[in-house]
């Protein structure tokens, strides 16, 4: 397995966690999205979306982090990313996809650069944008976690939700977003960051970390 990824990309971070939780061996192939390497023909030939991550397995390239995680769970079912009960699976998907669909788009680096170049926003304006959308979606996620009264993880062990949550919280901290009012997420984050699968996946531990 070869994972084409950028160390600070939250979507790459998701898949690294997933691969580690499954205990799979893989090689990280750095793709520098700051220099536009993902838009060059050599990479587009593998991933026409011109983004990261892309997972290369047995001559096939899989793109888009969420279907990659679902594919990993179907191809390598143990340990499972999703619980057996249908309602419990829905709860995991609701929270994971709230973050993946509501936050990744407006907070992706090309969008933030567009706010600066086309709408004249300075760093403070971009930060306000970032915080607004984080507060909206993470507030909803925190409320759901409180309703369920979760422990260290959403379920009995980390799975799909934690693969998505931890990278988003990493980025939230980079942009100075205050998480002290979200104790349920903070508890899950603290528990996850003690585990080898998450430590190995952390951006600081990647070959292209700068």
């Amino acid at each position: 397995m070869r994972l084409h990824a950028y160390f600070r990309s939250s979507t790459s971070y998701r898949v690294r966690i997933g691969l580690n939780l499954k205990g799979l061996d893989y090689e990280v192939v750095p793709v520098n999205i700051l220099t536009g390497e993902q838009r060059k023909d050599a990479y587009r030939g593998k991933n026409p979306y011109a983004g990261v991550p892309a997972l290369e397995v047995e001559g096939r390239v899989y793109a888009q982090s969420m279907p990659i995680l679902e594919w990993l769970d179907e191809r390598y079912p143990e340990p499972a990313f999703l619980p057996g009960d249908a309602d419990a699976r829905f709860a995991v998907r609701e929270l994971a996809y709230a973050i993946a669909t509501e936050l990744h788009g407006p907070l992706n680096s090309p969008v933030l650069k567009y706010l600066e170049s086309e709408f004249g926003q300075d760093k403070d304006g971009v930060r306000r944008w970032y915080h607004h959308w984080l507060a909206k979606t993470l507030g909803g996620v925190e409320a759901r976690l409180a309703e369920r009264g979760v422990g260290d993880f959403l379920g009995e062990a980390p799975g799909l939700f934690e693969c998505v949550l931890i990278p988003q919280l990493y980025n939230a901290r980079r942009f100075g977003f205050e998480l002290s009012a979200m104790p349920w997420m903070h508890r899950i984050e603290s528990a996850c960051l003690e585990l080898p699968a998450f430590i190995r996946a952390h951006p600081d531990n990647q070959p292209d970390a700068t």
Side-chain angles (χ1 to χ4, degrees):
M1 287 187 176
R2 305 177 79 220
L3 179 65
H4 301 265
Y6 179 66
F7 76 111
R8 277 187 177 155
S9 155
S10 62
T11 51
S12 299
Y13 192 175
R14 293 172 191 169
V15 174
R16 290 195 302 265
I17 294 169
L19 288 165
N20 294 343
L21 287 173
K22 293 292 186 182
L24 298 170
D25 292 327
Y26 61 97
E27 173 192 359
V28 173
V29 182
V31 179
N32 192 334
I33 63 175
L34 298 184
T35 62
E37 186 178 351
Q38 76 279 16
R39 295 190 294 271
K40 294 181 179 178
D41 290 344
Y43 184 75
R44 277 185 179 271
K46 297 180 181 296
N47 181 3
Y49 298 104
V52 289
L55 183 64
E56 202 169 352
V57 185
E58 298 174 353
R60 180 169 179 176
V61 179
Y62 300 84
Q64 302 294 340
S65 64
M66 298 306 288
I68 288 174
L69 289 171
E70 297 254 15
W71 176 83
L72 285 172
D73 205 33
E74 293 173 356
R75 180 77 177 269
Y76 307 95
E78 296 296 334
F81 286 163
L82 293 165
D85 177 74
D87 285 345
R89 286 199 304 274
F90 175 83
V92 172
R93 286 186 169 117
E94 177 191 325
L95 298 185
Y97 277 89
I99 293 171
T101 61
E102 293 188 11
L103 290 181
H104 182 67
L107 304 187
N108 204 7
S109 58
V111 173
L112 303 183
K113 290 177 181 177
Y114 195 78
L115 288 172
E116 293 179 348
S117 63
E118 298 298 323
F119 293 97
Q121 293 296 313
D122 60 13
K123 297 297 183 184
D124 286 339
V126 171
R127 187 177 292 107
R128 288 195 301 273
W129 168 276
Y130 206 99
H131 287 197
H132 170 80
W133 297 113
L134 281 174
K136 174 184 177 295
T137 296
L138 292 185
V141 171
E142 179 72 7
R144 284 297 204 207
L145 295 175
E147 287 174 6
R148 296 178 64 85
V150 298
D152 287 347
F153 312 112
L154 180 56
E156 295 181 359
L160 183 68
F161 171 64
E162 288 78 10
C163 287
V164 177
L165 175 69
I166 301 308
Q168 191 62 66
L169 296 186
Y170 169 82
N171 279 348
R173 293 184 188 283
R174 285 182 58 222
F175 279 80
F177 183 76
E178 182 56 60
L179 290 164
S180 60
M182 299 181 176
W184 296 96
M185 273 187 284
H186 179 68
R187 177 175 178 172
I188 293 173
E189 180 189 37
S190 297
C192 287
L193 293 180
E194 294 292 325
L195 300 176
F198 290 82
I199 294 170
R200 183 184 173 197
H202 193 279
D204 291 349
N205 297 325
Q206 303 315 304
D208 53 335
T210 57

